Amino acid sequence: MIPGGDQEPGRYYVGVDVGTGSVRAALVDQRGVLLAFAAQPVNQWEPHFNHHEQSSEDIWAACCVVTKKVVQGIDLNQIRGLGFDATCSLVVLDKQFHPLPVNHEGDSHRNVIMWLDHRAVSQVHRINETQHSVLQYVGGVMSVEMQAPKLLWLKENLRETCWDKAGHFFDLPDFLSWKATGVTARSLCSLVCKWTYSAEKGWDDSFWKMIGLEDFVADNYSKIGNEVLPPGASLGNGLTPEAAKDLGLPAGLAVAASLIDAHAGGLGVIGADVRGHGLACEGQPVTSRLAIICGTSSCHMGISKDPIFVPGVWGPYFSAMVPGFWLNEGGQSVTGKLIDHMVQGHAAFPELQAKATARCQSVYAYLNSHLDLIKKAQPVGFLTVDLHVWPDFHGNRSPLADLTLKGMVTGLKLSQDLDDLAILYLATVQAIAFGTRLIIEAMEAAGHSVSTLFLCGGLSKNPLFVQMHADITGMPVILSQEVESVLVGAAILGACASGDFASVQEAMARMSKVGKVVFPRLEDKRFYDKKYQVFMKLVEHQKEYAAIMKGD
Ligand SMILES: Nc1ncnc2c1ncn2[C@@H]1O[C@H](COP(=O)(O)OP(=O)(O)O)[C@@H](O)[C@H]1O
Ligand SMILES: O=C(CO)[C@H](O)[C@H](O)COP(=O)(O)O
């Protein structure tokens, strides 16, 4: 019997989502309904520009706090499985699994190089110069945010204090499943997407030798993983007694091989039954759906039956998200983080904060209502007719794959009041949507055919962000019934590991549901097409400026 009939007693799954700024947990039933939610901020250190570090011990402690909260008062026998997703940050442990420092300060509490860390620029430049064939499977250019450049940086910069003592290098999602089960097997998702592992051929010895990390080949990849499992597979004997006590869950509970956070978000949204909403994708294959996970960063997850090579877009990755499908992942390294940066760095931010607090609103809810106030009779998006932003303040992930690109703002005036802040915030939100449009165009030029966007992540809670994505791409945007769709994705893993569902696809169909559909205001298309022309001119000009300055 497929679980979830109303007569079925509650079967619950725990999903844990380790994001950049916080750790979240949810208790989810077999229909994908969230019964409980908890969040806990987690420390980040930025000891030097572009160095971003965390502590795996802090992260595990936060996982324990939020998991205990969501199962409070629940009959533990009704909990059937546990799934983790996390950012693709690099965790470093010694041979006894104790943290090792990833910094010159020798602080072993900070043993995680975060996904957005850009320290390994010269290493990734040398890796890309090899033009090794594995690079075809990351869009042709390896990102500084992937693991090989960071590992090479550790070998070249922290030889004695870290590299020589290292016993285990984990992607954060795999660290969590190891911490829970004691099993060091890695998820196919993390190794394929961030480590150059091939589902078909495994590790490529020639790549690691060519880039100067032949160490891994010599010990048969024991430090980075030589046992690989599909996401959702049940690990070992499930929760160890120690982890069970830490988490407040029953020992032996099924624990799934994990997913990277964007991939969990994709699982949480892309399989929803869209019938009854008058959407084009109702009569189209699931490959017409693009999942966009919009948090600190944004990840654009498109799937296909056959591999599609999209220059500057990560992948194609086989079975890294939906089993049996190839995946291409576009991305913008800073989206939520960029909006926070622009708003918090503006002269009128203190006034905004005071006014939002007085109204018991988030600063974004206040800004959205302030824009509605000042727009008068025109559509709100038209307020940026002479203010334009290029969003690559942390380099361009996709589709330009150029970490040297910088942010741009044009159209500034002498005033720095709340109106100016609101319009700059709007122009930044639009710039992110234009970046999405550029990624979709690159994916479609290579063979994808996208008709509908499925958004999740923190920014999907911002109505202006969602409407601008619809208006600027011209596509309808679907928001899930459960706004915490990444957690539903993690819970889907736990549901699969428990054996309650025969496949990830079956769990996806059962546990993700359409909540709201936001249609584009096509009457405004001409305005956004003109803004998009300006958007593309910005990066063209930026490249011209760089060429002039580089010239003699
Ligand atoms: N209700 C909201 N309205 C507007 N923005 C939001 C809201 N909630 C979160 N955000 C923004 O989303 C981003 C964090 O998203 P989240 O998915 O929690 O991130 P992560 O997974 O990277 O930790 C932040 O930039 C934050 O400002
Ligand atoms: O590269 C990634 C996914 O492939 C990172 O994990 C992601 O960009 C970070 O996610 P978030 O912005 O939600 O913290």
Side-chain angles (χ1 to χ4, degrees), residues 4 21 46 85 120 123 161 241 256 290 310 332 349 394 405 450 500 519:
E46 193 176 346
D85 76 75
Q123 288 77 14
T161 57
L290 185 72
V310 188
Q332 296 164 297
F349 179 63
H394 197 43
L405 284 176
V450 175
D500 285 353
F519 289 97

Side-chain angles (χ1 to χ4, degrees), residues 98-121:
H98 298 134
L100 283 171
V102 294
N103 46 70
H104 288 290
E105 293 81 13
D107 178 357
S108 60
H109 187 62
R110 291 160 26 205
N111 69 316
V112 178
I113 299 181
M114 293 181 74
W115 61 275
L116 75 163
D117 183 292
H118 282 193
R119 71 182 69 186
V121 172

Side-chain angles (χ1 to χ4, degrees), residues 257-417:
S258 56
L259 278 173
I260 294 167
D261 54 354
H263 305 63
L267 278 202
V269 297
I270 208 168
D273 178 353
V274 295
R275 283 174 299 179
H277 295 273
L279 289 161
C281 66
E282 185 173 334
Q284 295 167 345
V286 67
T287 51
S288 69
R289 305 178 180 194
L290 185 72
I292 310 182
I293 298 81
C294 320
T296 302
S297 65
S298 288
C299 301
H300 308 66
M301 319 298 276
I303 57 177
S304 58
K305 284 311 279 176
D306 299 311
I308 299 177
F309 293 83
V310 188
V313 170
W314 296 343
Y317 299 134
F318 187 62
S319 274
M321 185 169 87
V322 182
F325 282 84
W326 289 86
L327 168 71
N328 289 100
E329 177 183 353
Q332 296 164 297
S333 289
V334 287
T335 51
K337 188 177 180 70
L338 175 61
I339 295 169
D340 297 345
H341 170 77
M342 299 297 265
V343 168
Q344 292 164 17
H346 193 278
F349 179 63
E351 180 191 349
L352 165 65
Q353 220 171 14
K355 289 185 170 173
T357 305
R359 267 209 218 148
C360 300
Q361 277 185 317
S362 77
V363 293
Y364 298 115
Y366 188 91
L367 284 171
N368 292 348
S369 57
H370 190 76
L371 286 165
D372 280 340
L373 207 65
I374 62 178
K375 72 182 176 67
K376 298 190 176 55
Q378 63 182 335
V380 64
F382 289 20
L383 285 168
T384 59
V385 64
D386 54 12
L387 183 72
H388 310 280
V389 171
W390 177 263
D392 287 340
F393 285 59
H394 197 43
N396 182 281
R397 226 191 232 184
S398 301
L400 307 177
D402 180 347
L403 64 84
T404 66
L405 284 176
K406 302 279 186 302
M408 299 169 87
V409 179
T410 173
L412 297 175
K413 302 179 297 185
L414 263 183
S415 60
Q416 286 187 324
D417 60 19

